[in-house]
Amino acid sequence: MGDVAGALDARSADYAEFTVLFGHERTHYGALLLSSDLEDQLRSVGDHQVVIIDRAEMAPTWRGLGGVGRLLISRLLMWIAAAPRVVAVYPFPIDLDEKTRHDPAILQPALARVRRTWASIGFHPFTDDVWIMDPHRADHEKARATIERRLKLRTKQ
C-alpha cells in the first residue's frame, strides 16, 4: 500500500492509531515496512501482512462462557489470515456510550477487563493504545488450546 497513514486515517480516527506499526522505509516493491520498534518485538521474518482487528463484540448471551469469544477470534484469525506477520488491536470497551466512556469510574474497570481479555490470548501493549500479537509465538496457540480443553472441544492431536 502506498500511503498507509492516509488509508488508515481515511477509514477512521481509530484506524489512524495503527500508523505506529509502520516505519518510513519501503521494500523494493514499494510496500511500507514495519517500524523498527515493532520488528524488534517480532519473532518471525518474512511476510509483511498486518491484520488489524477493528472490533470484536459478543452478544450478551454468549459472554462469560469460558472463552467462547476468544476462541472464535483465534479461529477466525487462522481462517482469514493464514500467516500474518503481526495482528493488532485497539482494546477498548466498545459497548460504552458517550457519557460512560468519559467517566473514569466506569471506563477504567471496563478498559482493564477488555485488556485482560486480549492479553489472555497472547496480545500485549505495543503502545498505550495499540496492542499486538505475534502469531508465530507459542502464547496464542497455547491460549487457544487451553480454551478448547476447558470447553471440551476436540482438537487435532
Side-chain angles (χ1 to χ4, degrees), residues 26-143:
R26 296 185 178 277
T27 67
H28 61 282
Y29 296 114
L32 200 58
L33 294 173
L34 299 176
S35 77
S36 58
D37 291 340
L38 180 56
E39 286 284 356
D40 291 344
Q41 292 188 35
L42 299 176
R43 174 173 285 172
S44 63
V45 296
D47 191 1
H48 294 284
Q49 182 182 23
V50 175
V51 173
I52 295 173
I53 298 175
D54 179 22
R55 293 177 181 266
E57 184 176 6
M58 289 292 292
T61 308
W62 288 94
R63 295 179 189 169
L65 297 177
V68 171
R70 291 174 285 154
L71 182 60
L72 288 172
I73 289 168
S74 181
R75 288 188 171 181
L76 279 170
L77 285 172
M78 291 178 6
W79 182 49
I80 64 170
R85 183 76 195 284
V86 66
V87 181
V89 67
Y90 186 96
F92 191 83
I94 60 174
D95 54 346
L96 298 181
D97 61 28
E98 275 302 312
K99 183 180 177 185
T100 57
R101 82 173 39 167
H102 295 292
D103 180 348
I106 295 172
L107 175 62
Q108 292 309 316
L111 190 56
R113 189 172 48 254
V114 168
R115 289 179 171 181
R116 254 191 328 273
T117 299
W118 288 105
S120 74
I121 56 173
F123 284 82
H124 64 275
F126 178 64
T127 66
D128 287 341
D129 296 323
V130 175
W131 285 37
I132 60 168
M133 187 265 294
D134 182 344
H136 303 284
R137 290 187 183 264
D139 304 351
H140 182 71
E141 182 61 36
K142 286 179 184 176

